[in-house]
Amino acid sequence: MARPRQDAPEASNERGNEGPEGRLPRRGSKPAPGLYLVATPIGNMGDITYRAVEVLAAADLVACEDSRVTGKLMTRLGLDRPLVPYHEHNAEQARPRLLARLKDGAVVALVSDAGTPLVSDPGYRLVRACVAEDIPVTALPGASAPLTALQLSGLPNDRFLFAGFLPNKAHARRQALRELAMVPATLVFFESPNRLGESLADMEAVLGNRPAAVARELTKLHEEVARDTLFALANRYADAPPKGEVVVVVGPPDADADVSPEDMDTRLLAEMAAGASVKDAAALIAAETGHPRREIYARALKLARAGQTAGQTE
């Protein structure tokens, strides 16, 4: 690694850490009133940022998902500030109280249990309310599990969609995947370790056998990234759910893949058997394959009529 020049000016080492006014914040200085969206580590405590510690140390209160989790973080940082629970179950009751404090000029830090707030949590409603009330809001970037998994996956990252958690039930999960099947981007999901094998199998059934990656325990001691096809990963985790937090990254659809008529019929029949109408099944497969919708609709209609005829003769 290149060593810095001995005569390099000290100021050059501070570029990129400058605040809005072009200087580093002074330790112990009070931030301006407003809402601060503070990213926290997803595993490795070394990933906490200088700005995050500064704001957490000076905040009038810290709004958090779980006060026990955030309490441990604050203890490790040597900080002691009031913690206020703010999560999906109490957001409607807690939000007015937080807004009242903000209107009174308080410095409020919003954190999630780990990573960047507003990713799979109700924080965006608080931000929206602050914007409506003309209350200052700023974000302190930092660790993010979806972005870290995307970086490590080895899959295209020029265009991606974070889809959060899929539904627990298989039917609803497959329906959600059908809605995503036509998206020309890499897909990023959170998933429970206990449901991982089932979810990967559903992804393969609905999205096709795309390249994918399963990232777990990111930035922690036992970090692991498994890269393979959805079929292979589904088999790997079918009877051996992993430990720790999991992020699944799935490659985009192959726009150049040639779909045989037989494969197209199989996919149409599968969609209709799952409850899709002829029109919806045709639209989905047309989006996936790039084939003309009118042509695929004709095939789907023919298959549906053949199925009805077979049912009448049995």
Side-chain angles (χ1 to χ4, degrees):
M1 183 176 70
R3 295 173 60 87
R5 289 178 52 187
Q6 294 297 319
D7 59 348
E10 184 178 7
S12 67
N13 292 329
E14 296 181 357
R15 294 188 63 82
N17 292 326
E18 298 173 350
E21 299 177 1
R23 64 178 185 273
L24 288 169
R26 291 180 290 110
R27 182 169 293 279
S29 62
K30 184 74 171 179
L35 178 66
Y36 291 78
L37 313 175
V38 182
T40 56
I42 58 176
N44 192 316
M45 278 295 296
D47 294 333
I48 191 74
T49 69
Y50 179 80
R51 288 181 67 202
V53 175
E54 288 285 326
V55 169
L56 290 174
D60 294 304
L61 62 91
V62 178
C64 56
E65 288 184 272
D66 189 329
S67 58
R68 295 167 298 181
V69 174
T70 302
K72 291 178 182 178
L73 171 68
M74 299 290 280
T75 298
R76 293 188 67 178
L77 294 174
L79 304 178
D80 183 17
R81 307 306 301 157
L83 304 181
V84 176
Y86 182 75
H87 47 73
E88 60 179 336
H89 301 297
N90 80 335
E92 295 302 318
Q93 293 75 35
R95 192 180 306 120
R97 294 193 290 269
L98 291 174
L99 288 171
R101 291 294 305 275
L102 286 161
K103 290 178 182 179
D104 286 341
V107 173
V108 176
L110 175 69
V111 301
S112 63
D113 284 348
T116 299
L118 274 67
V119 178
S120 285
D121 71 39
Y124 81 92
R125 295 188 179 91
L126 179 58
V127 171
R128 187 169 59 187
C130 286
V131 172
E133 297 284 351
D134 202 26
I135 296 171
V137 181
T138 191
L140 281 61
S144 169
L147 292 179
T148 303
L150 182 65
Q151 289 176 306
L152 295 175
S153 69
L155 296 169
N157 56 25
D158 56 327
R159 181 186 296 178
F160 64 92
L161 171 69
F162 173 64
F165 282 97
L166 289 167
N168 297 342
K169 302 296 184 180
H171 179 76
R173 185 164 56 238
R174 289 199 175 202
Q175 181 57 41
L177 287 167
R178 291 186 192 100
E179 295 172 0
L180 297 171
M182 62 187 71
V183 177
T186 295
L187 304 175
V188 184
F189 302 94
F190 285 158
E191 189 49 275
S192 162
N194 294 330
R195 287 196 305 269
L196 181 59
E198 297 175 9
S199 290
L200 289 167
D202 285 341
M203 290 176 193
E204 192 272 333
V206 176
L207 304 177
N209 196 24
R210 301 186 191 181
V214 173
R216 71 176 189 90
E217 293 293 85
L218 290 170
T219 78
K220 299 178 184 178
L221 180 62
H222 299 293
E223 175 180 285
E224 178 185 60
V225 182
R227 306 172 184 87
D228 213 317
T229 63
L230 282 171
F231 178 79
L233 290 170
N235 286 336
R236 172 173 176 168
Y237 294 109
D239 300 314
K243 295 181 179 180
E245 298 178 350
V246 172
V247 183
V248 179
V249 185
V250 182
D254 185 355
D256 298 325
D258 187 22
V259 182
S260 69
E262 293 77 14
D263 185 45
M264 191 177 297
D265 288 351
T266 299
R267 291 160 76 173
L268 284 168
L269 287 169
E271 293 299 330
M272 290 188 287
S277 66
V278 171
K279 182 179 179 181
D280 289 343
L284 178 61
I285 302 305
E288 286 184 17
T289 63
H291 286 257
R293 182 180 298 190
R294 181 178 299 179
E295 173 186 320
I296 297 181
Y297 178 76
R299 296 186 70 87
L301 193 60
K302 183 178 180 180
L303 290 169
R305 287 172 176 169
Q308 292 175 353
T309 302
Q312 293 171 359
T313 57
E314 288 179 355

